[in-house]
Amino acid sequence: MPKHSPSTLDPRSPLVLDTRDLPRRPGAMRPVQRVVPAPADLGVELIGVPEGADLNLDLRLESVSEGVLVSGAITGPVRGECGRCLREINDSMAVTIQELYAYENSTTDATTDEDEVGRMQGDLIDLEPALRDALVLTLPTNPLCREDCPGLCPECGTHWDDLPADHSHQQIDPRWAGLSQMTRTEE
């Protein structure tokens, strides 16, 4: 995570948490429950959270010696299409997050790489990177409308569910067509 000056975060942004009312003594805790709009591009190629959809945050901010530990659950809708049959998927998902945000100029800030631990910017925490990591890594790269989805017929593109059990596209190689005629006359 790159270092920013405190002025780069907008405290009014829905995914920015303000910790001014959280005492900086270990053990102090404050719950955060809010509904926020989903940021853009929160997903993978075939499935994701629609931009602006309601995400429910049920978090706990806890002061620890080196910063603020943010933990809890985030729930919201996911939309996409099945990787086998291309039918629409409308579902919901819940992910848990647990992320330490180091105070500026703390020992953790000085002894860890920039991308190992989240960084506070003044009294502000940018929750979006942790949310994005937790949610996107949980999404399937090949989502299915259901576990036993049979997909599409490769020949006609019709859903296998909509086809009769004996559906087939038997194609005879023209080089063997004469032989198939011979077996039919013998029967």
Side-chain angles (χ1 to χ4, degrees):
M1 234 176 254
K3 287 190 179 186
H4 300 281
S5 65
S7 62
T8 60
L9 283 181
D10 180 1
R12 295 169 296 180
S13 176
L15 289 171
V16 171
L17 305 176
D18 191 341
T19 64
R20 282 182 290 188
D21 61 347
L22 180 67
R24 287 194 175 199
R25 67 175 184 276
M29 195 268 302
R30 177 173 63 99
V32 172
Q33 294 176 332
R34 64 171 82 156
V35 177
V36 300
D41 301 320
L42 190 57
V44 292
E45 188 175 347
L46 291 177
I47 194 164
V49 177
E51 183 176 358
D54 287 345
L55 294 176
N56 296 299
L57 308 180
D58 186 10
L59 305 172
R60 184 173 80 177
L61 307 181
E62 185 176 354
S63 287
V64 294
S65 60
E66 293 299 317
V68 175
L69 180 66
V70 177
S71 56
I74 300 171
T75 57
V78 290
R79 305 281 181 268
E81 61 183 29
C82 178
R84 289 186 188 156
C85 72
L86 306 178
R87 286 192 173 145
E88 187 175 325
I89 296 174
N90 290 307
D91 205 356
S92 63
M93 69 177 309
V95 294
T96 58
I97 65 166
Q98 186 167 27
E99 184 82 19
L100 174 64
Y101 292 88
Y103 294 129
E104 290 180 322
N105 304 317
S106 68
T107 304
T108 301
D109 191 33
T111 60
T112 59
D113 290 334
E114 286 186 38
D115 59 352
E116 281 185 81
V117 175
R119 310 287 187 208
M120 292 184 64
Q121 298 173 28
D123 290 321
L124 301 177
I125 293 173
D126 185 6
L127 191 61
E128 185 174 341
L131 163 72
R132 190 171 295 281
D133 287 349
L135 200 128
V136 172
L137 291 174
T138 304
L139 291 171
T141 55
N142 190 23
L144 299 176
C145 59
R146 64 179 204 264
E147 284 298 316
D148 63 342
C149 175
L152 303 174
C153 171
E155 298 296 323
C156 63
T158 305
H159 290 270
W160 278 113
D161 288 337
D162 300 337
L163 294 170
D166 62 346
H167 176 76
S168 71
H169 295 274
Q170 187 174 13
Q171 295 181 353
I172 300 172
D173 186 325
R175 295 171 292 180
W176 298 101
L179 289 176
S180 69
Q181 296 299 329
M182 289 176 60
T183 58
R184 287 188 185 150
T185 57
E186 292 176 8
E187 292 174 357

